[in-house]
Amino acid sequence: MTLSIHSSFLPHTDPAATLAFYRDTLGFEVRSDVEYGGRHWITVGPAGQPGTSVVLYPPDATPGLSDTERRTVAEMMAKGTYATLLLATPDLDATFERVQTGTVDVVQEPMDQPYGVRDCAVRDPAGNLIRIQEVRS
């Protein structure tokens, strides 16, 4: 059996800020921006990797959520505890320097972790935690 990760979903609350972060700060390609009822589903992905995408969606459009669950999701997003995305790069310091040129909330500067990886962490405009790990060949 062969499986690959095609798409993952992260919530967003502001399409313009989301585009600025993922396109302009991270350098991702915008593959689609679907507007429906004033809400946007934005699909982005790393350049040259058309098989891997992140769909940024409005969490209030999730079907089946109760009002209490919607409030809980919004509260967790505001605290930055709802969702995480792990990215990889061969040069963490150069990537971190580039990411800092945008409007970004730095959670952790690049550091060697005691469990053997070197990484940093920032939050996207919706509060999602974006960890960037250095991958050495």
Side-chain angles (χ1 to χ4, degrees), residues 11-88:
H12 80 83
T13 55
D14 180 335
T18 296
L19 274 174
F21 179 79
Y22 284 93
R23 181 192 57 211
D24 304 336
T25 301
L26 294 183
F28 280 6
E29 297 174 337
V30 177
R31 299 196 176 134
S32 69
D33 183 354
V34 177
E35 187 271 336
Y36 179 77
R39 297 179 176 126
H40 289 256
W41 285 255
I42 304 165
T43 303
V44 297
Q49 299 177 43
T52 303
S53 299
V54 177
V55 180
L56 302 149
Y57 70 99
D60 63 334
T62 302
L65 288 182
S66 69
D67 289 342
T68 300
E69 290 167 328
R70 288 183 206 288
R71 279 193 302 275
T72 299
V73 168
E75 289 169 3
M76 291 179 72
M77 288 175 64
K79 293 191 317 187
T81 59
Y82 185 69
T84 300
L85 178 66
L86 177 60
L87 303 175

